[in-house]
Amino acid sequence: MKKWLLRGLGILAALLVIAFLAFRVPDTDPDEMRAKYAGEPSQFLALADGREIHLRDEGPRDAPAIILLHGSNADLHTWQAWADMLSEDYRVIRYDQRGHGLTGPAADDDYTLGGFVADVTAVADELDLTTFTLAGNSMGGWIAAGYAIENPGRLEALVLVDAGGAPVRREGGGNIAFTLAGMPVVGDVMSQLLPRSLVARSLSQSVSNQDIVTNEAIDRYWELARYPGNRSATRKRFSQERTAFDAETVSGIRVPTLVMWGKEDALIPFAAGEWYAEHLPDATLVAYDSIGHIPMEEAPERSATDLMVWLSEMRLGPSGAMEPQAGEAVLTP
């Protein structure tokens, strides 16, 4: 009986391996991905450590600079509408972060907050930026806040768009892909299978405005998630504990900050935006009804306009320099 049981288990294991190999989705071809997603004005910025960062640098070179940081499993294309609007008056810089997009995995396998923050400094140094505005969405907002804590003197302003990092727990809702990615073993298997339908559902769950869940967007998320090395980078990221900031640390960020949030965010609740607005000393909170986790895509014109109005008001202070208008809302109709 024991012999037959062992034989049966062996056959089952073999069938599971065959099924896994049959349904595993392969990596995408790097050359094809670069041809598809790295057209003008993309460039690959060589950093001092030998890495190449997929980056877009648009707008007048002598204009105030804004660096845009995308969220988890996203890429620089998430900021396209903002870049189109902002680049007339600002130098707009956006890049695929380590483990994402066409930048690919980090050679040092470091996906901690410190690693991401160091990349902001490296990019800014390579582009000869003395000071700049830093904006981030979701994970990118967590990184932006972390950068502001470590490098406040280098920032003219901070923009947190449905940012991670607040000690506020989500109740219900969520994103199925992120949930699976955080599960031991299951996450490893699903990252290799990664059906397109899972990516489509994940994007749909992240937003309130379903108009942005297009075939083009789904393909981009799905294909760049499978760029060589990105899946292992994602598993590494999700296997690490991401600690939240505390109120005392955030209250020490003496940088004028615009907090922008979709009220229907199912990933990071609006209460997290209220927490940031409460504890940041120079914060302005802008909230969007019927908008989810990605306001710069779901409500691009409204959110970009709010940002430009806020930046203009900051720059029109009595001294002519960046000055906060604490507590003043800039909500658009």
Side-chain angles (χ1 to χ4, degrees):
M1 178 67 71
K2 184 177 180 181
K3 179 179 179 181
W4 282 105
L5 178 61
L6 292 175
R7 181 176 295 179
L9 290 174
I11 293 173
L12 177 61
L15 290 173
L16 289 174
V17 170
I18 293 171
F20 176 80
L21 293 175
F23 289 102
R24 180 185 182 275
V25 180
D27 286 343
T28 48
D29 180 84
D31 292 334
E32 290 182 4
M33 292 299 97
R34 287 196 175 202
K36 186 172 183 177
Y37 296 114
E40 288 289 339
S42 283
Q43 60 177 287
F44 287 85
L45 183 71
L47 300 183
D49 61 5
R51 287 183 297 138
E52 286 191 332
I53 300 290
H54 177 222
L55 175 143
R56 292 188 175 182
D57 184 356
E58 301 166 270
R61 290 299 180 268
D62 58 349
I66 301 177
I67 295 180
L68 306 173
L69 304 177
H70 65 72
S72 178
N73 289 13
D75 61 273
L76 60 75
H77 291 85
T78 194
W79 299 106
Q80 187 60 53
W82 271 28
D84 290 341
M85 294 183 66
L86 294 170
S87 59
E88 291 187 12
D89 300 304
Y90 295 91
R91 181 180 180 184
V92 182
I93 298 153
R94 49 195 166 124
Y95 62 93
D96 291 342
Q97 301 198 70
R98 55 173 62 203
H100 293 79
L102 300 178
T103 292
D108 59 7
D109 213 23
D110 181 2
Y111 300 102
T112 63
L113 178 60
F116 286 105
V117 166
D119 284 347
V120 178
T121 297
V123 169
D125 287 348
E126 287 294 332
L127 297 178
D128 296 322
L129 301 180
T130 303
T131 59
F132 52 91
T133 293
L134 183 62
N137 169 242
S138 192
M139 179 193 77
W142 172 62
I143 296 165
Y147 187 88
I149 292 168
E150 298 294 331
N151 307 275
R154 199 161 185 181
L155 294 185
E156 296 178 344
L158 176 67
V159 183
L160 303 180
V161 186
D162 292 66
V168 176
R169 291 187 176 273
R170 171 180 53 80
E171 296 182 5
N175 178 306
I176 186 171
F178 289 178
T179 300
L180 293 173
M183 294 181 178
V185 183
V186 173
D188 291 323
V189 173
M190 289 307 301
S191 71
Q192 295 303 311
L193 301 180
L194 196 61
R196 183 180 183 277
S197 59
L198 178 65
V199 175
R201 185 177 176 188
S202 173
L203 179 57
S204 179
Q205 289 177 329
S206 299
V207 299
S208 180
N209 179 3
Q210 295 296 312
D211 289 343
I212 74 167
V213 186
T214 63
N215 286 327
E216 180 183 8
I218 294 167
D219 284 342
R220 189 182 77 245
Y221 276 94
W222 187 47
E223 291 173 345
L224 292 181
R226 295 184 290 120
Y227 189 82
N230 282 354
R231 281 190 277 193
S232 61
T234 298
R235 292 297 304 129
K236 178 71 173 180
R237 247 185 331 110
F238 276 92
S239 69
Q240 298 172 342
E241 182 179 1
R242 187 180 297 179
T243 57
F245 301 122
D246 57 60
E248 182 179 0
T249 301
V250 168
S251 65
I253 299 177
R254 303 293 173 175
V255 178
T257 305
L258 180 61
V259 181
M260 313 178 82
W261 226 273
K263 283 190 173 182
E264 304 302 320
D265 191 332
L267 274 66
I268 306 178
F270 179 55
E274 295 178 310
W275 182 87
Y276 269 121
E278 177 184 355
H279 295 289
L280 285 162
D282 297 321
T284 297
L285 175 63
V286 181
Y288 300 98
D289 293 325
S290 303
I291 296 299
H293 189 61
I294 318 176
M296 67 281 190
E297 290 193 50
E298 297 180 67
E301 291 187 5
R302 279 191 290 160
S303 57
T305 298
D306 285 340
L307 173 58
M308 289 187 288
V309 169
W310 181 74
L311 289 173
S312 295
E313 290 180 347
M314 299 272 286
R315 292 182 179 281
L316 291 176
S319 68
M322 266 301 208
E323 295 190 6
Q325 309 292 318
E328 183 176 341
V330 292
L331 286 170
T332 52

